[in-house]
Amino acid sequence: MRRRTLLAGLAGGALSTGTAATSAHAVSYGAHGSHGSHGSRRVLHVRPGDSVQAAVDAVDGPGWTIVVHPGTYREVVGIPADRPSLTLRGACRDPRAAVIVYDNANGTKKPDGTTYGTAGSATFASAAPGLTVRDLTLANDWLRADHPDVTGTQAVAAYVTGDRSSFDNVRFLAHQDTLFADTTALDAFDRHYYRRCHIEGDVDFVFGRARAVFDACRFHTLQRDVSFTPKGMVFAPSTARANPYGFLAVRGRITSGAEDGAYKIARPWVPSYETTAWPSLVVRDTWIGPGIDAAAPYTNMRDAYPWQTMRFREHANSGPGAVISQPDNRPRLTSAEAAAHTRRTYLGDWRPYERP
C-alpha cells in the first residue's frame, strides 16, 4: 500500500508495533490493573490490541491520564468537550513508538453516502479544554494517488479545538491540511500551545483560527509529483478579526523534501462562513530552509483577499529561505512590535511553557 510511505520509519527497528481494531475493548485500567485512582492519579493503559477510543470513552471525569504503549493503532479517536484536563501520552519519550493513524479524506464517503468533510476526516479530534498530548504520532495516511476519483483531498491528522490545548513532542503527519488548529466557536479565542512538535505536509498543512503558539517546532514540506509551483504552503491561518493574535511560530525550523523555492510560507484563508476573518501569522527567530521561495514567500488563496492586507509579519529569521531580496514581499516587525508577539502575550495567564 502506498500509505506505508508516509509512516516509513516511524515505528522503526526494535520498537513494538501492533494493529488495534476500533472495536477492541480490552483496556488496562490503572496501575496493577485497577480502575480508579492511586492517590490523586487516575491512569488508563492502552496496549496493542486495545483501542485508544475505548480508553477515552472510559474516562469519567477531569484529570485522567491515558498512556499509549508502543504500537500502531489504526482508528479514529475523538475526545469530546466533557473530558476536560485529559492527558494522552506515549509510554516512552520517542513519539515514533506509538502511532494513531487512519485514512479518511474530505471526499471519503460515509456508509450513508455523504462525505466526511475536512474537519470530519481527522484521525484525531479534540474539543476538550485543558487537553495535554505528549510523545505520540498522529497521522492521516490517505494519499491522492490512491484515490484519483476523489476531489476533496484534504485529509486531516488532527482537528483541535478547546482552550488550553497543549502538544509536546508530537508528530503530525499527513499531506493536505495536516493540523487544523481551530476554535470551539466563531467568537471563541481558544489557545493552543505546540512545543517541540514535528508537523509535515504539503498544502495549507497548518491552518485554522486558533490563537496558537508553535514553540521550537519543525515544519517539513513534502515532495509532490506535480509540475506546478508553488507546490504548497505551510500556513493558512483564518484568524477572527476580533482576535488580536493568530499563529506565532517562534524558534523553529522550516525544512523541505522538495526542490528549492517550491513552497510558500503562507496564504490567508478567509472561509466562506466567516468572510470578516483577518488572518494573522508571525514567524520569528526561525530558520527557514531553501524549500521556501525567499523572493515571494506569500501568496493568495483568493484574489479577493490579498495577502498584503493580512496580518503577516516576520522577525529575526535566518537561513536561505529568509533572505530578503524584495522587501515589499516580506513584511517585518520592528523591535518594538516584536515585543508584543511572544508566548506570554499570546497565551496570557496560561503558561504551559513554564512546565519542565
Side-chain angles (χ1 to χ4, degrees), residues 26-31 35-36 41-47 50-70 73 75 77-80 83-92 98 100 124-126 128 130-136 138:
V27 180
S28 301
Y29 295 115
H35 178 199
R41 296 183 61 206
R42 298 188 290 179
V43 182
L44 307 179
H45 290 266
V46 181
R47 296 179 173 85
D50 299 339
S51 164
V52 178
Q53 185 62 55
V56 172
D57 294 342
V59 168
D60 59 4
W64 282 85
T65 295
I66 297 173
V67 180
V68 184
H69 289 259
Y73 301 83
E75 60 177 309
V77 175
I79 302 175
R83 304 293 194 278
S85 303
L86 175 68
T87 296
L88 180 68
R89 67 175 181 84
C92 68
I100 302 172
F124 174 88
S126 174
L131 174 74
T132 299
V133 180
R134 301 200 315 263
D135 306 328
L136 288 173
L138 306 175

Side-chain angles (χ1 to χ4, degrees), residues 7-306:
L7 296 175
L10 288 184
L15 297 175
S16 170
T17 61
T19 301
T22 58
S23 60
H25 62 274
V27 180
S28 301
Y29 295 115
H32 307 106
S34 63
H35 178 199
S37 61
H38 289 265
S40 61
R41 296 183 61 206
R42 298 188 290 179
V43 182
L44 307 179
H45 290 266
V46 181
R47 296 179 173 85
D50 299 339
S51 164
V52 178
Q53 185 62 55
V56 172
D57 294 342
V59 168
D60 59 4
W64 282 85
T65 295
I66 297 173
V67 180
V68 184
H69 289 259
T72 299
Y73 301 83
R74 180 162 285 277
E75 60 177 309
V76 173
V77 175
I79 302 175
D82 63 359
R83 304 293 194 278
S85 303
L86 175 68
T87 296
L88 180 68
R89 67 175 181 84
C92 68
R93 293 186 178 180
D94 186 345
R96 299 172 300 171
V99 178
I100 302 172
V101 58
Y102 210 72
D103 60 347
N104 285 328
N106 178 334
T108 301
K109 287 189 176 181
K110 301 178 185 179
D112 65 4
T114 63
T115 55
Y116 283 97
T118 299
S121 72
T123 297
F124 174 88
S126 174
L131 174 74
T132 299
V133 180
R134 301 200 315 263
D135 306 328
L136 288 173
T137 292
L138 306 175
N140 188 321
D141 59 5
W142 188 91
L143 290 180
R144 303 178 186 96
D146 293 341
H147 305 275
D149 56 319
V150 175
T151 56
T153 57
Q154 300 88 346
V156 177
Y159 173 50
V160 183
T161 64
D163 192 36
R164 295 173 290 106
S165 295
S166 175
F167 294 79
D168 189 353
N169 195 32
V170 174
R171 293 167 63 87
F172 299 89
L173 309 183
H175 287 269
Q176 184 171 355
D177 290 11
T178 302
L179 172 58
F180 195 169
D182 209 36
T183 60
T184 49
L186 292 181
D187 59 353
F189 298 163
D190 293 345
R191 295 164 294 176
H192 299 183
Y193 180 63
Y194 301 85
R195 189 179 87 159
R196 301 182 305 155
C197 291
H198 173 104
I199 310 166
E200 68 177 46
D202 48 41
V203 178
D204 302 334
F205 63 91
V206 181
F207 72 113
R209 49 180 288 116
R211 181 185 294 187
V213 173
F214 299 89
D215 188 359
C217 292
R218 178 188 179 190
F219 307 92
H220 185 69
T221 64
L222 298 173
Q223 180 61 278
R224 291 185 66 190
D225 186 19
V226 294
S227 58
F228 55 80
T229 57
K231 292 187 173 182
M233 309 82 193
V234 178
F235 299 98
S238 57
T239 321
R241 183 169 293 271
N243 193 344
Y245 304 113
F247 289 171
L248 170 65
V250 59
R251 302 188 308 151
R253 294 183 297 149
I254 301 177
T255 61
S256 183
E259 63 270 23
D260 291 356
Y263 276 82
K264 305 291 189 181
I265 293 176
R267 62 179 179 175
W269 177 33
V270 178
S272 59
Y273 56 80
E274 193 187 10
T275 57
T276 61
W278 192 20
S280 172
L281 167 69
V282 171
V283 179
R284 59 173 301 172
D285 307 296
T286 289
W287 185 87
I288 303 175
I292 296 298
D293 179 0
Y298 304 99
T299 189
N300 297 338
M301 186 174 292
R302 293 197 296 276
D303 290 341
Y305 304 102

Side-chain angles (χ1 to χ4, degrees), residues 284-336:
R284 59 173 301 172
D285 307 296
T286 289
W287 185 87
I288 303 175
I292 296 298
D293 179 0
Y298 304 99
T299 189
N300 297 338
M301 186 174 292
R302 293 197 296 276
D303 290 341
Y305 304 102
W307 72 263
Q308 293 90 341
T309 65
M310 303 300 167
R311 294 177 285 177
F312 287 0
R313 297 291 185 271
E314 298 180 57
H315 181 72
N317 295 321
S318 61
V323 173
I324 300 171
S325 59
Q326 299 185 39
D328 289 347
N329 287 342
R330 305 206 73 143
R332 284 155 287 162
L333 298 171
T334 65
S335 295

